[in-house]
Amino acid sequence: MTAKEEGALRTMIVDDEPLAIERMQVLCAELDQLQVVGTASDGEAAVRLSDKLRPDLLLLDMTMPGMDGLSVARALGKRDNPPAVIFVTAHEDFAVEAFDLEAVDYVLKPVAAERLERAIDRALARRERSAGGDSGEWLSEFWVPHRSELLRIDAAQVERIDAERDYVRLHVGDRSYLLLQTIAGLEGRLDPSRFIRIHRSTILRRDRIRGLRHEGLGVWSVELDNGEALRIGRTYLRKVKAMAGR
């Protein structure tokens, strides 16, 4: 085994354009972190070949005849130990769907070497976290669509989460990010020692809560560290009071 192959990500390139595959092979050849083990020119072949080669990573085109990239990622996501996926596409419109499938990154064509290297670094970091047992039952990070890419946000940075229909809005400082995820589905994946749901539309990071305030007639609010007050939903009042030992 060569130095390049040892510890490198076993990688498959999937694209229906031969020239795109060739260009990606050239870019990958410059990266010691990668070992290209196969290529496929359509989605069905990608799934079959992936089952045989068991790659660590797919560099996956989004739009292909027949089975597209999203369908490939969904199919492989049902396997044991599925490969990580970096979508490589000329289209900006599928970043939300890509995140929903837990893609490592979303890279736009034409692919610059530096941009690909950043995406590979993210894939390696994810593998290291998994190997170190840091992929436990609670979410430690979010990947959110932002300017046609996926932006990593540490869960510890999220101060507040608000429901907006089938989406949630993550508040990080003075910025916010929209994510395709229901608040009910997200609640069960958040560490309850760090986050608490106070309303059907609101989850807070617990350390932002400065106190509780009784408004009368059984209505309670939480006081935040910035002085803002948020009403506690009746369904969640008992849990919030328990947090305060009441």
Side-chain angles (χ1 to χ4, degrees):
M1 183 176 289
T2 67
K4 178 181 175 65
E5 292 169 341
E6 186 176 359
L9 291 168
R10 290 168 49 80
T11 303
M12 270 182 55
I13 301 169
V14 184
D15 202 301
D16 64 332
E17 298 179 7
L19 288 178
I21 288 179
E22 288 182 20
R23 171 166 173 74
M24 192 59 69
Q25 286 176 311
V26 170
L27 291 173
C28 290
E30 298 299 317
L31 297 175
D32 289 339
Q33 307 99 312
L34 299 184
Q35 176 197 1
V36 176
V37 296
T39 66
S41 58
D42 62 75
E44 290 83 357
V47 172
R48 291 195 304 269
L49 195 58
S50 182
D51 284 341
K52 292 181 180 179
L53 297 177
R54 308 296 297 174
D56 302 311
L57 174 68
L58 258 62
L59 299 174
L60 181 59
D61 189 21
M62 182 65 77
T63 55
M64 298 178 288
M67 193 176 192
D68 64 13
L70 290 172
S71 299
V72 171
R74 288 190 190 99
L76 293 178
K78 298 174 182 177
R79 308 294 203 263
D80 292 333
N81 300 316
V85 172
I86 294 173
F87 283 107
V88 182
T89 177
H91 301 276
E92 300 181 0
D93 305 328
F94 301 102
V96 170
E97 292 89 340
F99 171 79
D100 200 37
L101 293 172
E102 298 185 350
V104 170
D105 210 336
Y106 191 87
V107 178
L108 292 177
K109 297 178 180 178
V111 180
E114 297 82 2
R115 180 66 183 88
L116 178 62
E117 190 165 7
R118 289 206 311 273
I120 300 306
D121 286 343
R122 290 174 176 174
L124 288 166
R126 179 179 290 190
R127 183 173 73 170
E128 289 171 3
R129 287 195 300 273
S130 296
D134 193 27
S135 58
E137 60 177 313
W138 308 124
L139 278 177
S140 61
E141 62 183 26
F142 298 93
W143 288 89
V144 297
H146 181 64
R147 296 180 181 174
S148 303
E149 295 186 358
L150 291 174
L151 180 66
R152 178 187 175 276
I153 297 176
D154 191 326
Q157 296 177 312
V158 177
E159 301 171 354
R160 174 175 168 178
I161 302 169
D162 291 327
E164 295 187 15
R165 298 188 179 225
D166 292 332
Y167 291 79
V168 292
R169 184 171 296 280
L170 309 179
H171 295 269
V172 182
D174 58 357
R175 306 190 68 172
S176 69
Y177 305 91
L178 204 59
L179 178 64
L180 181 59
Q181 169 76 67
T182 64
I183 195 167
L186 184 59
E187 181 186 12
R189 302 172 65 195
L190 293 171
D191 184 350
S193 70
R194 179 173 287 174
F195 293 94
I196 188 167
R197 190 170 181 181
I198 67 161
H199 191 274
R200 62 185 177 85
S201 301
T202 308
I203 294 174
L204 291 175
R205 199 176 69 206
R206 294 170 69 125
D207 63 6
R208 288 210 60 208
I209 299 174
R210 185 171 63 187
L212 306 182
R213 184 169 66 202
H214 188 204
E215 308 285 2
L217 300 177
V219 176
W220 287 75
S221 298
V222 296
E223 294 183 31
L224 303 185
D225 51 9
N226 63 359
E228 185 180 2
L230 297 175
R231 182 170 175 173
I232 302 170
R234 290 186 183 274
T235 304
Y236 306 95
L237 181 57
R238 180 177 297 179
K239 182 187 292 186
V240 176
K241 283 186 173 182
M243 176 190 70
R246 300 191 57 173

